[in-house]
């Protein structure tokens, strides 16, 4: 048991994550990604993949450190599979457990519980405490995050996940002739609306999200309605501009096919056994 009382800082969090999460979630199809960063990935068919990761967090409490657990459902139609980057550089599409709890609307809502899910504190240089907190984080992940990922198994259900997590941005549909790309970032999933040939106006879904936001934030109804409606209308309008312009639509399909090939290749490589 003495091995639990002292530990080197470098790499200990990654090792604990791979040991606790990696070994347990292997039976659910997750594999440890090649490379230095703590990622687990599983494929849900040939077009959807799920990611679970962890990262070190700042801690104001003397003698303690913190970590958070992040996750996402994504498709091979996103701009790029960026698992060679750190989880911190990917936190615009990887979301922590607290965000999953808040945005998925599962099991009611408790503000204090939400805060506890955002990060997990453990005693510095104390491996037993780290492994204990990592096991607790795994239990919360199995309760909060995995049921959401388990439902995102097709481009269509993954699209529902992206809406629920507020991960579709209007700017992704704008085609830049000079750059020959769509949107401000090559790491967005928004073109999935084109891939799935979606013509939904998302009014009902937007209403559902608005009601969720009111319960969790206490913000003014009119303020949330204005924000949600503007976002929905911008996304629908810009998507329809692609469908209405044959040349842009053709370029969008070509871009989606390119992404699919590149991302499937990247996923095969990073999921290979060392």
């Amino acid at each position: 048991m003495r091995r639990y009382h002292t530990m080197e800082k470098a790499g200990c969090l990654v090792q604990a994550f791979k040991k606790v999460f990696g070994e347990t979630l292997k039976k659910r199809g997750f594999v440890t990604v090649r490379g230095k960063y703590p990622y687990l990935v599983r494929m849900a068919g040939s077009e959807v993949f799920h990611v679970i990761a962890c990262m070190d967090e700042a801690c104001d409490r003397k003698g303690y450190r913190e970590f958070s657990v992040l996750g996402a459902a994504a498709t091979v139609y996103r701009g790029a599979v960026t698992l060679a980057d750190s989880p911190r550089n990917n936190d615009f599409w990887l979301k922590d457990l607290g965000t999953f709890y808040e945005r998925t609307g599962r099991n009611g809502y408790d503000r204090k519980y939400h805060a506890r899910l955002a990060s997990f504190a453990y005693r510095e240089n104390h491996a037993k405490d780290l492994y204990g907190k990592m096991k607790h984080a795994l239990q919360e992940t199995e309760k909060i995050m995995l049921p959401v990922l388990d439902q995102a198994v097709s481009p269509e259900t993954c699209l529902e996940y992206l809406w629920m997590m507020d991960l579709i941005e209007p700017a992704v549909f704008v085609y830049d002739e000079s750059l020959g790309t769509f949107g401000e970032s090559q790491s967005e999933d928004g073109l999935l609306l084109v891939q799935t040939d979606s013509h939904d106006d998302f009014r009902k879904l937007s209403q559902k999200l608005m009601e969720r936001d009111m319960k969790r934030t206490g913000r003014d109804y009119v303020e949330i309605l204005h924000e949600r409606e503007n976002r929905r209308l911008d996304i629908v309008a810009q998507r329809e501009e692609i469908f209405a312009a044959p040349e842009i639509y053709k370029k969008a399909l070509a871009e989606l096919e390119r992404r699919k090939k590149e991302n499937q290749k990247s996923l095969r490589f990073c999921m290979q056994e060392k």
Side-chain angles (χ1 to χ4, degrees), residues 173 190-197 239 242-243 249 252-253 256:
F173 301 104
L191 281 180
L192 191 57
L193 277 80
V194 178
Q195 172 64 28
T196 56
D197 197 31
R239 177 202 61 190
I242 293 179
F243 284 131
Y249 178 64
L253 294 181
L256 285 162

Side-chain angles (χ1 to χ4, degrees), residues 29-273:
F30 285 91
V31 300
T32 301
V33 167
R34 297 177 64 177
K36 64 180 180 178
Y37 295 116
Y39 289 110
L40 300 177
V41 177
R42 73 176 175 187
M43 296 300 301
S46 61
E47 297 175 289
V48 177
F49 62 99
H50 302 152
V51 181
I52 297 178
C54 80
M55 69 179 183
D56 201 18
E57 297 283 1
C59 183
D60 296 330
R61 194 176 172 190
K62 186 176 180 180
Y64 282 77
R65 299 174 69 87
E66 293 183 4
F67 68 89
S68 60
V69 176
L70 311 173
T75 74
V76 294
Y77 302 108
R78 64 180 295 103
V81 174
T82 52
L83 300 182
D85 294 339
S86 70
R88 197 172 309 281
N89 288 342
N90 282 320
D91 67 0
F92 60 96
W93 64 284
L94 297 177
K95 299 302 177 182
D96 65 45
L97 275 171
T99 302
F100 266 81
Y101 172 70
E102 179 210 358
R103 295 186 182 174
T104 58
R106 300 179 64 86
N107 306 320
Y109 182 69
D110 183 303
R111 195 174 300 279
K112 292 182 179 179
Y113 181 47
H114 178 191
R116 292 198 300 270
L117 290 172
S119 62
F120 301 84
Y122 62 94
R123 282 178 284 173
E124 191 172 12
N125 297 326
H126 199 295
K128 186 176 182 179
D129 195 35
L130 169 60
Y131 275 76
K133 295 300 171 53
M134 191 66 73
K135 289 177 182 177
H136 173 61
L138 173 63
Q139 292 173 348
E140 297 290 5
T141 300
E142 290 178 315
K143 181 170 65 174
I144 301 296
M145 185 183 293
L146 282 176
V148 177
L149 300 184
D150 288 343
Q151 292 179 10
V153 295
S154 67
E156 290 76 16
T157 53
C158 196
L159 186 58
E160 293 178 15
Y161 161 85
L162 293 170
W163 270 101
M164 179 174 59
M165 300 296 282
D166 290 328
L167 290 172
I168 296 180
E169 297 292 337
V172 78
F173 301 104
V174 179
Y175 183 73
D176 190 320
E177 289 283 357
S178 63
L179 296 177
T181 60
F182 286 85
E184 297 176 344
S185 170
Q186 283 291 83
S187 297
E188 299 288 352
D189 263 301
L191 281 180
L192 191 57
L193 277 80
V194 178
Q195 172 64 28
T196 56
D197 197 31
S198 171
H199 292 272
D200 193 340
D201 66 7
F202 300 107
R203 190 180 300 274
K204 290 183 179 179
L205 181 56
S206 184
Q207 176 68 29
K208 180 180 178 180
L209 295 178
M210 184 182 71
E211 293 171 357
R212 176 204 68 184
D213 292 347
M214 287 181 61
K215 291 179 181 178
R216 281 151 176 72
T217 66
R219 290 169 56 198
D220 180 72
Y221 172 83
V222 175
E223 180 185 356
I224 294 177
L225 175 63
H226 180 73
E227 181 181 290
R228 280 286 170 197
E229 273 299 282
N230 283 346
R231 183 185 181 91
R232 181 186 69 83
L233 292 172
D234 283 348
I235 289 172
V236 170
Q238 292 189 27
R239 177 202 61 190
E240 290 305 306
E241 286 182 9
I242 293 179
F243 284 131
E247 286 301 313
I248 299 299
Y249 178 64
K250 183 178 179 180
K251 289 177 180 178
L253 294 181
E255 171 64 11
L256 285 162
E257 186 61 26
R258 182 197 68 78
R259 292 180 181 189
K260 179 181 179 180
K261 291 179 180 179
E262 289 295 320
N263 289 333
Q264 286 178 333
K265 181 180 178 180
S266 295
L267 286 166
R268 284 194 298 268
F269 175 77
C270 73
M271 294 177 71
Q272 288 177 354
E273 293 186 8

